[in-house]
Amino acid sequence: MPALVTHYLFGDQVLSELPEEIGRIIEQHRPMFHYAVQGPDLLFFRGAVSGKSFLPKVGSRMHHEKIE
């Protein structure tokens, strides 16, 4: 699983390739964009901080399910 900074950098790379109109919208909500590019990885940290949680299972499922 890549580190948080890898997801952040990849998001910036993708952002530079998007159409200008979409890029402008994302720039208005940049913090949310950087949160979103983390995908389900953030769900894995909850159990480490607060003990038992169902969120790591959700994160695992999101990693393994195919998107169509």
Side-chain angles (χ1 to χ4, degrees):
M1 178 168 27
L4 295 172
V5 72
T6 304
H7 285 268
Y8 182 95
L9 294 173
F10 181 71
D12 278 350
Q13 203 172 17
V14 168
L15 183 56
S16 71
E17 300 292 324
L18 293 173
E20 189 175 321
E21 183 179 338
I22 295 172
R24 278 197 306 270
I25 293 168
I26 290 173
E27 286 296 338
Q28 294 171 358
H29 307 282
R30 187 90 175 211
M32 183 54 67
F33 173 75
H34 285 298
Y35 178 78
V37 298
Q38 299 304 320
D41 288 2
L42 296 175
L43 300 176
F44 294 105
F45 296 114
R46 175 152 174 119
V49 173
S50 65
K52 292 187 177 186
S53 172
F54 70 94
L55 292 176
K57 290 180 184 178
V58 173
S60 290
R61 184 171 180 187
M62 289 174 73
H63 265 286
H64 297 292
E65 295 264 334
K66 290 187 179 185
I67 298 173
E68 297 181 38

Short mmCIF file of all heavy atoms in Angstrom, two decimals:
data_model
loop_
_atom_site.label_atom_id
_atom_site.label_comp_id
_atom_site.label_asym_id
_atom_site.label_seq_id
_atom_site.Cartn_x
_atom_site.Cartn_y
_atom_site.Cartn_z
N MET A 1 0.86 -1.17 0.00
CA MET A 1 0.00 0.00 0.00
C MET A 1 0.90 1.24 0.00
O MET A 1 1.74 1.39 0.87
CB MET A 1 -0.89 -0.05 1.24
CG MET A 1 -1.79 1.11 1.40
SD MET A 1 -3.09 0.95 2.66
CE MET A 1 -2.45 -0.18 3.84
N PRO A 2 0.75 2.11 -1.00
CA PRO A 2 1.60 3.30 -1.07
C PRO A 2 1.39 4.23 0.12
O PRO A 2 0.33 4.24 0.73
CB PRO A 2 1.17 3.98 -2.35
CG PRO A 2 0.47 2.95 -3.14
CD PRO A 2 -0.13 2.00 -2.14
N ALA A 3 2.40 5.00 0.39
CA ALA A 3 2.32 5.98 1.48
C ALA A 3 1.38 7.12 1.10
O ALA A 3 1.06 7.33 -0.08
CB ALA A 3 3.72 6.52 1.78
N LEU A 4 0.94 7.86 2.10
CA LEU A 4 0.05 9.00 1.87
C LEU A 4 0.63 9.98 0.85
O LEU A 4 -0.07 10.48 -0.02
CB LEU A 4 -0.22 9.72 3.19
CG LEU A 4 -0.98 8.95 4.25
CD1 LEU A 4 -1.00 9.73 5.56
CD2 LEU A 4 -2.38 8.64 3.80
N VAL A 5 1.93 10.23 0.96
CA VAL A 5 2.55 11.20 0.07
C VAL A 5 2.55 10.70 -1.38
O VAL A 5 2.43 11.50 -2.31
CB VAL A 5 3.98 11.56 0.54
CG1 VAL A 5 4.95 10.43 0.33
CG2 VAL A 5 4.46 12.83 -0.13
N THR A 6 2.61 9.40 -1.61
CA THR A 6 2.55 8.86 -2.96
C THR A 6 1.20 9.15 -3.59
O THR A 6 1.11 9.57 -4.75
CB THR A 6 2.81 7.34 -2.95
OG1 THR A 6 4.06 7.09 -2.31
CG2 THR A 6 2.82 6.77 -4.34
N HIS A 7 0.14 8.96 -2.82
CA HIS A 7 -1.20 9.26 -3.33
C HIS A 7 -1.32 10.76 -3.63
O HIS A 7 -1.91 11.15 -4.64
CB HIS A 7 -2.26 8.88 -2.30
CG HIS A 7 -2.50 7.41 -2.20
ND1 HIS A 7 -3.46 6.76 -2.94
CD2 HIS A 7 -1.90 6.45 -1.45
CE1 HIS A 7 -3.45 5.47 -2.64
NE2 HIS A 7 -2.51 5.27 -1.74
N TYR A 8 -0.78 11.58 -2.76
CA TYR A 8 -0.82 13.04 -2.92
C TYR A 8 -0.12 13.44 -4.22
O TYR A 8 -0.66 14.19 -5.03
CB TYR A 8 -0.15 13.68 -1.71
CG TYR A 8 -0.14 15.19 -1.71
CD1 TYR A 8 -1.13 15.90 -1.05
CD2 TYR A 8 0.86 15.90 -2.35
CE1 TYR A 8 -1.12 17.28 -1.03
CE2 TYR A 8 0.87 17.29 -2.34
CZ TYR A 8 -0.12 17.97 -1.68
OH TYR A 8 -0.11 19.34 -1.66
N LEU A 9 1.08 12.92 -4.42
CA LEU A 9 1.86 13.26 -5.61
C LEU A 9 1.18 12.74 -6.88
O LEU A 9 1.17 13.42 -7.91
CB LEU A 9 3.28 12.71 -5.50
CG LEU A 9 4.13 13.33 -4.39
CD1 LEU A 9 5.45 12.60 -4.26
CD2 LEU A 9 4.35 14.82 -4.65
N PHE A 10 0.62 11.55 -6.82
CA PHE A 10 -0.08 11.01 -7.97
C PHE A 10 -1.29 11.87 -8.31
O PHE A 10 -1.58 12.14 -9.48
CB PHE A 10 -0.50 9.56 -7.72
CG PHE A 10 -1.22 8.94 -8.88
CD1 PHE A 10 -0.55 8.61 -10.04
CD2 PHE A 10 -2.58 8.69 -8.79
CE1 PHE A 10 -1.22 8.05 -11.11
CE2 PHE A 10 -3.26 8.12 -9.86
CZ PHE A 10 -2.57 7.80 -11.02
N GLY A 11 -2.00 12.33 -7.29
CA GLY A 11 -3.15 13.21 -7.51
C GLY A 11 -2.73 14.49 -8.22
O GLY A 11 -3.40 14.94 -9.16
N ASP A 12 -1.61 15.07 -7.81
CA ASP A 12 -1.10 16.27 -8.48
C ASP A 12 -0.75 15.99 -9.94
O ASP A 12 -1.00 16.80 -10.83
CB ASP A 12 0.12 16.82 -7.76
CG ASP A 12 -0.24 17.67 -6.56
OD1 ASP A 12 -1.44 17.99 -6.40
OD2 ASP A 12 0.67 18.00 -5.79
N GLN A 13 -0.19 14.82 -10.18
CA GLN A 13 0.17 14.42 -11.54
C GLN A 13 -1.09 14.28 -12.41
O GLN A 13 -1.13 14.76 -13.55
CB GLN A 13 0.95 13.11 -11.50
CG GLN A 13 1.83 12.86 -12.66
CD GLN A 13 2.70 11.63 -12.42
OE1 GLN A 13 2.44 10.80 -11.54
NE2 GLN A 13 3.73 11.51 -13.20
N VAL A 14 -2.10 13.63 -11.87
CA VAL A 14 -3.36 13.46 -12.60
C VAL A 14 -4.00 14.82 -12.84
O VAL A 14 -4.49 15.11 -13.94
CB VAL A 14 -4.32 12.53 -11.83
CG1 VAL A 14 -5.72 12.58 -12.42
CG2 VAL A 14 -3.79 11.12 -11.81
N LEU A 15 -3.97 15.68 -11.85
CA LEU A 15 -4.57 17.01 -11.95
C LEU A 15 -3.97 17.79 -13.13
O LEU A 15 -4.68 18.47 -13.86
CB LEU A 15 -4.39 17.78 -10.65
CG LEU A 15 -5.02 19.15 -10.54
CD1 LEU A 15 -6.51 19.09 -10.81
CD2 LEU A 15 -4.75 19.73 -9.16
N SER A 16 -2.69 17.64 -13.34
CA SER A 16 -2.04 18.37 -14.44
C SER A 16 -2.46 17.85 -15.81
O SER A 16 -2.27 18.53 -16.82
CB SER A 16 -0.51 18.30 -14.29
OG SER A 16 -0.05 16.99 -14.56
N GLU A 17 -3.04 16.66 -15.86
CA GLU A 17 -3.47 16.06 -17.13
C GLU A 17 -4.96 16.25 -17.42
O GLU A 17 -5.42 15.94 -18.51
CB GLU A 17 -3.16 14.55 -17.12
CG GLU A 17 -1.70 14.21 -16.96
CD GLU A 17 -0.86 14.61 -18.16
OE1 GLU A 17 -1.37 14.51 -19.30
OE2 GLU A 17 0.30 15.03 -17.96
N LEU A 18 -5.70 16.76 -16.46
CA LEU A 18 -7.14 16.91 -16.63
C LEU A 18 -7.48 18.13 -17.48
O LEU A 18 -6.69 19.08 -17.56
CB LEU A 18 -7.82 17.05 -15.26
CG LEU A 18 -7.78 15.82 -14.37
CD1 LEU A 18 -8.34 16.15 -12.98
CD2 LEU A 18 -8.55 14.67 -14.99
N PRO A 19 -8.66 18.13 -18.09
CA PRO A 19 -9.09 19.32 -18.82
C PRO A 19 -9.12 20.55 -17.90
O PRO A 19 -9.38 20.43 -16.70
CB PRO A 19 -10.51 18.96 -19.29
CG PRO A 19 -10.54 17.47 -19.31
CD PRO A 19 -9.63 17.04 -18.19
N GLU A 20 -8.86 21.69 -18.49
CA GLU A 20 -8.73 22.94 -17.71
C GLU A 20 -9.96 23.22 -16.84
O GLU A 20 -9.82 23.63 -15.68
CB GLU A 20 -8.49 24.10 -18.67
CG GLU A 20 -8.11 25.39 -17.97
CD GLU A 20 -7.77 26.47 -18.97
OE1 GLU A 20 -7.12 26.17 -19.99
OE2 GLU A 20 -8.18 27.62 -18.71
N GLU A 21 -11.14 23.00 -17.36
CA GLU A 21 -12.37 23.28 -16.61
C GLU A 21 -12.46 22.43 -15.33
O GLU A 21 -12.79 22.93 -14.25
CB GLU A 21 -13.60 23.03 -17.48
CG GLU A 21 -14.90 23.36 -16.79
CD GLU A 21 -16.10 23.11 -17.70
OE1 GLU A 21 -15.95 23.09 -18.93
OE2 GLU A 21 -17.19 22.94 -17.14
N ILE A 22 -12.13 21.16 -15.45
CA ILE A 22 -12.15 20.26 -14.29
C ILE A 22 -11.07 20.67 -13.30
O ILE A 22 -11.28 20.69 -12.09
CB ILE A 22 -11.99 18.80 -14.73
CG1 ILE A 22 -13.21 18.37 -15.55
CG2 ILE A 22 -11.81 17.88 -13.52
CD1 ILE A 22 -13.08 17.02 -16.19
N GLY A 23 -9.90 21.03 -13.82
CA GLY A 23 -8.80 21.48 -12.97
C GLY A 23 -9.17 22.70 -12.14
O GLY A 23 -8.82 22.79 -10.97
N ARG A 24 -9.90 23.63 -12.75
CA ARG A 24 -10.33 24.84 -12.02
C ARG A 24 -11.27 24.48 -10.87
O ARG A 24 -11.18 25.02 -9.77
CB ARG A 24 -11.01 25.83 -12.96
CG ARG A 24 -10.05 26.69 -13.75
CD ARG A 24 -10.74 27.91 -14.36
NE ARG A 24 -11.90 27.56 -15.17
CZ ARG A 24 -11.89 27.30 -16.47
NH1 ARG A 24 -10.74 27.32 -17.12
NH2 ARG A 24 -13.00 27.02 -17.12
N ILE A 25 -12.16 23.56 -11.13
CA ILE A 25 -13.11 23.13 -10.08
C ILE A 25 -12.34 22.46 -8.93
O ILE A 25 -12.58 22.75 -7.76
CB ILE A 25 -14.16 22.17 -10.65
CG1 ILE A 25 -15.06 22.92 -11.64
CG2 ILE A 25 -15.00 21.55 -9.53
CD1 ILE A 25 -15.95 22.03 -12.47
N ILE A 26 -11.42 21.59 -9.27
CA ILE A 26 -10.63 20.90 -8.24
C ILE A 26 -9.80 21.89 -7.45
O ILE A 26 -9.68 21.78 -6.22
CB ILE A 26 -9.76 19.80 -8.87
CG1 ILE A 26 -10.65 18.65 -9.37
CG2 ILE A 26 -8.72 19.28 -7.87
CD1 ILE A 26 -9.92 17.59 -10.15
N GLU A 27 -9.22 22.89 -8.11
CA GLU A 27 -8.41 23.90 -7.42
C GLU A 27 -9.21 24.63 -6.35
O GLU A 27 -8.67 25.03 -5.33
CB GLU A 27 -7.80 24.89 -8.41
CG GLU A 27 -6.66 24.32 -9.23
CD GLU A 27 -5.45 23.93 -8.41
OE1 GLU A 27 -5.27 24.44 -7.27
OE2 GLU A 27 -4.68 23.09 -8.89
N GLN A 28 -10.51 24.77 -6.59
CA GLN A 28 -11.37 25.44 -5.60
C GLN A 28 -11.60 24.57 -4.37
O GLN A 28 -12.03 25.07 -3.33
CB GLN A 28 -12.71 25.80 -6.23
CG GLN A 28 -12.61 26.84 -7.32
CD GLN A 28 -13.93 27.02 -8.06
OE1 GLN A 28 -14.92 26.35 -7.79
NE2 GLN A 28 -13.93 27.93 -9.02
N HIS A 29 -11.33 23.27 -4.52
CA HIS A 29 -11.57 22.31 -3.44
C HIS A 29 -10.34 21.42 -3.25
O HIS A 29 -10.46 20.23 -3.01
CB HIS A 29 -12.80 21.45 -3.77
CG HIS A 29 -14.01 22.25 -4.09
ND1 HIS A 29 -14.78 22.85 -3.13
CD2 HIS A 29 -14.57 22.58 -5.28
CE1 HIS A 29 -15.77 23.50 -3.71
NE2 HIS A 29 -15.66 23.35 -5.01
N ARG A 30 -9.18 22.01 -3.34
CA ARG A 30 -7.93 21.25 -3.33
C ARG A 30 -7.76 20.37 -2.09
O ARG A 30 -7.37 19.20 -2.22
CB ARG A 30 -6.75 22.22 -3.46
CG ARG A 30 -5.42 21.58 -3.62
CD ARG A 30 -5.15 21.38 -5.07
NE ARG A 30 -3.80 20.85 -5.24
CZ ARG A 30 -3.07 21.09 -6.27
NH1 ARG A 30 -3.52 21.86 -7.21
NH2 ARG A 30 -1.90 20.55 -6.38
N PRO A 31 -8.04 20.85 -0.87
CA PRO A 31 -7.88 19.95 0.29
C PRO A 31 -8.76 18.70 0.19
O PRO A 31 -8.32 17.60 0.52
CB PRO A 31 -8.29 20.82 1.48
CG PRO A 31 -8.02 22.22 1.03
CD PRO A 31 -8.37 22.21 -0.44
N MET A 32 -9.99 18.85 -0.29
CA MET A 32 -10.87 17.70 -0.43
C MET A 32 -10.35 16.75 -1.51
O MET A 32 -10.43 15.53 -1.37
CB MET A 32 -12.29 18.15 -0.77
CG MET A 32 -13.29 17.01 -0.85
SD MET A 32 -13.35 15.95 0.61
CE MET A 32 -14.00 17.06 1.83
N PHE A 33 -9.78 17.30 -2.57
CA PHE A 33 -9.19 16.47 -3.63
C PHE A 33 -8.07 15.62 -3.06
O PHE A 33 -7.99 14.42 -3.30
CB PHE A 33 -8.68 17.36 -4.77
CG PHE A 33 -7.92 16.62 -5.82
CD1 PHE A 33 -8.58 15.82 -6.74
CD2 PHE A 33 -6.54 16.73 -5.91
CE1 PHE A 33 -7.89 15.14 -7.73
CE2 PHE A 33 -5.83 16.05 -6.88
CZ PHE A 33 -6.51 15.25 -7.80
N HIS A 34 -7.19 16.23 -2.28
CA HIS A 34 -6.07 15.47 -1.70
C HIS A 34 -6.54 14.43 -0.68
O HIS A 34 -5.92 13.39 -0.52
CB HIS A 34 -5.02 16.41 -1.11
CG HIS A 34 -4.20 17.07 -2.17
ND1 HIS A 34 -3.41 16.37 -3.04
CD2 HIS A 34 -4.07 18.36 -2.52
CE1 HIS A 34 -2.82 17.19 -3.88
NE2 HIS A 34 -3.21 18.41 -3.58
N TYR A 35 -7.62 14.71 -0.02
CA TYR A 35 -8.22 13.71 0.87
C TYR A 35 -8.77 12.55 0.04
O TYR A 35 -8.56 11.38 0.35
CB TYR A 35 -9.32 14.36 1.71
CG TYR A 35 -10.04 13.41 2.62
CD1 TYR A 35 -9.46 13.01 3.82
CD2 TYR A 35 -11.29 12.91 2.30
CE1 TYR A 35 -10.11 12.11 4.66
CE2 TYR A 35 -11.94 12.03 3.13
CZ TYR A 35 -11.35 11.63 4.31
OH TYR A 35 -12.00 10.75 5.13
N ALA A 36 -9.47 12.88 -1.04
CA ALA A 36 -10.12 11.86 -1.87
C ALA A 36 -9.11 10.95 -2.58
O ALA A 36 -9.37 9.76 -2.75
CB ALA A 36 -11.03 12.53 -2.89
N VAL A 37 -7.96 11.48 -2.98
CA VAL A 37 -7.00 10.64 -3.70
C VAL A 37 -6.39 9.57 -2.80
O VAL A 37 -5.75 8.64 -3.29
CB VAL A 37 -5.87 11.45 -4.40
CG1 VAL A 37 -6.43 12.37 -5.45
CG2 VAL A 37 -5.00 12.18 -3.41
N GLN A 38 -6.63 9.66 -1.52
CA GLN A 38 -6.13 8.62 -0.61
C GLN A 38 -6.92 7.33 -0.76
O GLN A 38 -6.46 6.27 -0.35
CB GLN A 38 -6.16 9.10 0.85
CG GLN A 38 -5.31 10.31 1.12
CD GLN A 38 -3.86 10.12 0.73
OE1 GLN A 38 -3.27 9.07 0.94
NE2 GLN A 38 -3.27 11.15 0.14
N GLY A 39 -8.10 7.44 -1.36
CA GLY A 39 -8.92 6.24 -1.56
C GLY A 39 -9.26 5.61 -0.21
O GLY A 39 -9.40 6.30 0.80
N PRO A 40 -9.38 4.30 -0.17
CA PRO A 40 -9.77 3.63 1.07
C PRO A 40 -8.64 3.47 2.08
O PRO A 40 -8.86 3.00 3.18
CB PRO A 40 -10.26 2.26 0.58
CG PRO A 40 -9.47 2.01 -0.64
CD PRO A 40 -9.31 3.35 -1.29
N ASP A 41 -7.43 3.91 1.73
CA ASP A 41 -6.30 3.69 2.63
C ASP A 41 -6.50 4.30 4.01
O ASP A 41 -6.07 3.74 5.02
CB ASP A 41 -5.01 4.23 2.02
CG ASP A 41 -4.52 3.39 0.86
OD1 ASP A 41 -5.20 2.39 0.52
OD2 ASP A 41 -3.47 3.70 0.30
N LEU A 42 -7.16 5.45 4.09
CA LEU A 42 -7.37 6.09 5.39
C LEU A 42 -8.22 5.23 6.32
O LEU A 42 -8.12 5.35 7.54
CB LEU A 42 -8.00 7.47 5.22
CG LEU A 42 -7.13 8.48 4.48
CD1 LEU A 42 -7.90 9.77 4.27
CD2 LEU A 42 -5.85 8.75 5.23
N LEU A 43 -9.04 4.37 5.75
CA LEU A 43 -9.89 3.51 6.57
C LEU A 43 -9.06 2.51 7.39
O LEU A 43 -9.49 2.05 8.44
CB LEU A 43 -10.89 2.75 5.70
CG LEU A 43 -11.84 3.63 4.88
CD1 LEU A 43 -12.71 2.76 3.98
CD2 LEU A 43 -12.69 4.49 5.78
N PHE A 44 -7.87 2.18 6.93
CA PHE A 44 -7.03 1.22 7.63
C PHE A 44 -6.43 1.80 8.92
O PHE A 44 -6.06 1.06 9.82
CB PHE A 44 -5.90 0.72 6.73
CG PHE A 44 -6.40 -0.07 5.56
CD1 PHE A 44 -6.44 0.47 4.30
CD2 PHE A 44 -6.86 -1.37 5.74
CE1 PHE A 44 -6.91 -0.26 3.22
CE2 PHE A 44 -7.33 -2.11 4.67
CZ PHE A 44 -7.35 -1.55 3.41
N PHE A 45 -6.33 3.11 9.02
CA PHE A 45 -5.71 3.73 10.18
C PHE A 45 -6.63 3.79 11.39
O PHE A 45 -6.17 3.89 12.52
CB PHE A 45 -5.21 5.14 9.84
CG PHE A 45 -4.13 5.14 8.80
CD1 PHE A 45 -4.35 5.71 7.57
CD2 PHE A 45 -2.91 4.55 9.06
CE1 PHE A 45 -3.36 5.71 6.60
CE2 PHE A 45 -1.92 4.54 8.10
CZ PHE A 45 -2.14 5.12 6.87
N ARG A 46 -7.91 3.75 11.19
CA ARG A 46 -8.86 3.89 12.30
C ARG A 46 -8.65 2.80 13.35
O ARG A 46 -8.64 3.07 14.54
CB ARG A 46 -10.29 3.88 11.80
CG ARG A 46 -11.27 3.89 12.95
CD ARG A 46 -12.54 4.52 12.60
NE ARG A 46 -13.44 4.35 13.73
CZ ARG A 46 -13.96 5.35 14.38
NH1 ARG A 46 -13.70 6.57 14.01
NH2 ARG A 46 -14.76 5.15 15.38
N GLY A 47 -8.48 1.57 12.92
CA GLY A 47 -8.28 0.47 13.86
C GLY A 47 -7.01 0.63 14.66
O GLY A 47 -6.95 0.27 15.83
N ALA A 48 -5.98 1.21 14.05
CA ALA A 48 -4.71 1.41 14.73
C ALA A 48 -4.83 2.44 15.84
O ALA A 48 -4.14 2.36 16.85
CB ALA A 48 -3.64 1.84 13.74
N VAL A 49 -5.73 3.38 15.67
CA VAL A 49 -5.88 4.47 16.64
C VAL A 49 -6.90 4.14 17.72
O VAL A 49 -6.66 4.35 18.90
CB VAL A 49 -6.29 5.78 15.92
CG1 VAL A 49 -6.60 6.88 16.92
CG2 VAL A 49 -5.20 6.21 14.97
N SER A 50 -8.04 3.58 17.32
CA SER A 50 -9.13 3.44 18.28
C SER A 50 -9.46 2.00 18.66
O SER A 50 -10.44 1.76 19.33
CB SER A 50 -10.39 4.09 17.70
OG SER A 50 -10.79 3.39 16.54
N GLY A 51 -8.67 1.06 18.21
CA GLY A 51 -8.98 -0.33 18.53
C GLY A 51 -9.81 -0.96 17.44
O GLY A 51 -9.66 -0.63 16.28
N LYS A 52 -10.71 -1.84 17.81
CA LYS A 52 -11.49 -2.57 16.82
C LYS A 52 -12.42 -1.63 16.04
O LYS A 52 -13.05 -0.75 16.60
CB LYS A 52 -12.31 -3.66 17.49
CG LYS A 52 -11.46 -4.77 18.05
CD LYS A 52 -12.31 -5.90 18.56
CE LYS A 52 -11.39 -7.02 19.05
NZ LYS A 52 -12.14 -8.20 19.42
N SER A 53 -12.45 -1.87 14.74
CA SER A 53 -13.31 -1.09 13.86
C SER A 53 -13.63 -1.92 12.62
O SER A 53 -12.82 -2.73 12.19
CB SER A 53 -12.59 0.20 13.44
OG SER A 53 -13.34 0.88 12.45
N PHE A 54 -14.79 -1.69 12.05
CA PHE A 54 -15.16 -2.38 10.82
C PHE A 54 -14.55 -1.71 9.60
O PHE A 54 -14.55 -2.27 8.50
CB PHE A 54 -16.69 -2.42 10.67
CG PHE A 54 -17.30 -1.07 10.37
CD1 PHE A 54 -17.54 -0.69 9.06
CD2 PHE A 54 -17.64 -0.20 11.40
CE1 PHE A 54 -18.10 0.54 8.78
CE2 PHE A 54 -18.20 1.03 11.12
CZ PHE A 54 -18.42 1.40 9.81
N LEU A 55 -14.01 -0.49 9.73
CA LEU A 55 -13.53 0.27 8.58
C LEU A 55 -12.38 -0.40 7.83
O LEU A 55 -12.34 -0.32 6.60
CB LEU A 55 -13.17 1.69 8.99
CG LEU A 55 -14.36 2.54 9.40
CD1 LEU A 55 -13.91 3.91 9.89
CD2 LEU A 55 -15.35 2.68 8.26
N PRO A 56 -11.42 -1.06 8.49
CA PRO A 56 -10.39 -1.75 7.70
C PRO A 56 -10.97 -2.81 6.77
O PRO A 56 -10.47 -3.01 5.66
CB PRO A 56 -9.48 -2.37 8.76
CG PRO A 56 -9.61 -1.45 9.93
CD PRO A 56 -11.07 -1.05 9.91
N LYS A 57 -12.06 -3.47 7.17
CA LYS A 57 -12.71 -4.44 6.28
C LYS A 57 -13.29 -3.75 5.06
O LYS A 57 -13.22 -4.26 3.95
CB LYS A 57 -13.80 -5.21 7.04
CG LYS A 57 -13.26 -6.17 8.07
CD LYS A 57 -14.39 -6.89 8.77
CE LYS A 57 -13.82 -7.77 9.87
NZ LYS A 57 -14.86 -8.46 10.62
N VAL A 58 -13.86 -2.57 5.27
CA VAL A 58 -14.41 -1.80 4.15
C VAL A 58 -13.26 -1.40 3.21
O VAL A 58 -13.38 -1.50 1.99
CB VAL A 58 -15.17 -0.55 4.65
CG1 VAL A 58 -15.60 0.33 3.49
CG2 VAL A 58 -16.36 -0.95 5.49
N GLY A 59 -12.16 -0.96 3.78
CA GLY A 59 -11.00 -0.58 2.97
C GLY A 59 -10.48 -1.74 2.15
O GLY A 59 -10.16 -1.59 0.97
N SER A 60 -10.41 -2.92 2.75
CA SER A 60 -9.94 -4.11 2.03
C SER A 60 -10.88 -4.43 0.88
O SER A 60 -10.44 -4.74 -0.24
CB SER A 60 -9.85 -5.31 2.97
OG SER A 60 -8.80 -5.15 3.87
N ARG A 61 -12.16 -4.36 1.14
CA ARG A 61 -13.13 -4.66 0.08
C ARG A 61 -12.99 -3.66 -1.07
O ARG A 61 -13.04 -4.03 -2.23
CB ARG A 61 -14.54 -4.63 0.65
CG ARG A 61 -15.57 -5.03 -0.37
CD ARG A 61 -16.92 -5.20 0.25
NE ARG A 61 -17.85 -5.57 -0.81
CZ ARG A 61 -19.14 -5.67 -0.65
NH1 ARG A 61 -19.67 -5.41 0.54
NH2 ARG A 61 -19.92 -6.00 -1.63
N MET A 62 -12.82 -2.39 -0.74
CA MET A 62 -12.67 -1.38 -1.78
C MET A 62 -11.42 -1.60 -2.61
O MET A 62 -11.39 -1.33 -3.81
CB MET A 62 -12.65 0.02 -1.15
CG MET A 62 -13.99 0.45 -0.60
SD MET A 62 -13.93 2.01 0.30
CE MET A 62 -13.74 3.17 -1.04
N HIS A 63 -10.37 -2.12 -1.99
CA HIS A 63 -9.13 -2.40 -2.72
C HIS A 63 -9.28 -3.59 -3.67
O HIS A 63 -8.63 -3.63 -4.71
CB HIS A 63 -7.99 -2.71 -1.74
CG HIS A 63 -7.16 -1.52 -1.41
ND1 HIS A 63 -6.25 -0.98 -2.28
CD2 HIS A 63 -7.09 -0.74 -0.29
CE1 HIS A 63 -5.65 0.06 -1.74
NE2 HIS A 63 -6.16 0.23 -0.53
N HIS A 64 -10.12 -4.53 -3.32
CA HIS A 64 -10.19 -5.78 -4.09
C HIS A 64 -11.36 -5.86 -5.07
O HIS A 64 -11.32 -6.67 -6.00
CB HIS A 64 -10.22 -6.98 -3.14
CG HIS A 64 -8.97 -7.09 -2.33
ND1 HIS A 64 -7.75 -7.41 -2.88
CD2 HIS A 64 -8.74 -6.87 -1.02
CE1 HIS A 64 -6.82 -7.40 -1.94
NE2 HIS A 64 -7.40 -7.08 -0.79
N GLU A 65 -12.39 -5.05 -4.88
CA GLU A 65 -13.55 -5.09 -5.78
C GLU A 65 -13.18 -4.47 -7.12
O GLU A 65 -12.45 -3.48 -7.17
CB GLU A 65 -14.72 -4.31 -5.17
CG GLU A 65 -15.27 -4.92 -3.92
CD GLU A 65 -16.47 -5.80 -4.17
OE1 GLU A 65 -17.19 -5.59 -5.16
OE2 GLU A 65 -16.69 -6.70 -3.34
N LYS A 66 -13.71 -5.01 -8.19
CA LYS A 66 -13.50 -4.43 -9.51
C LYS A 66 -14.52 -3.33 -9.74
O LYS A 66 -15.68 -3.45 -9.39
CB LYS A 66 -13.65 -5.51 -10.59
CG LYS A 66 -12.52 -6.49 -10.58
CD LYS A 66 -12.61 -7.43 -11.74
CE LYS A 66 -11.41 -8.37 -11.67
NZ LYS A 66 -11.35 -9.25 -12.83
N ILE A 67 -14.06 -2.25 -10.34
CA ILE A 67 -14.92 -1.11 -10.66
C ILE A 67 -15.29 -1.21 -12.14
O ILE A 67 -14.43 -1.38 -12.98
CB ILE A 67 -14.20 0.21 -10.37
CG1 ILE A 67 -13.87 0.30 -8.90
CG2 ILE A 67 -15.07 1.38 -10.82
CD1 ILE A 67 -13.03 1.48 -8.55
N GLU A 68 -16.55 -1.10 -12.41
CA GLU A 68 -17.00 -1.19 -13.82
C GLU A 68 -17.70 0.07 -14.22
O GLU A 68 -18.25 0.77 -13.51
CB GLU A 68 -17.92 -2.39 -13.99
CG GLU A 68 -17.18 -3.67 -13.70
CD GLU A 68 -18.07 -4.90 -13.90
OE1 GLU A 68 -18.88 -4.88 -14.84
OE2 GLU A 68 -17.94 -5.83 -13.10
#
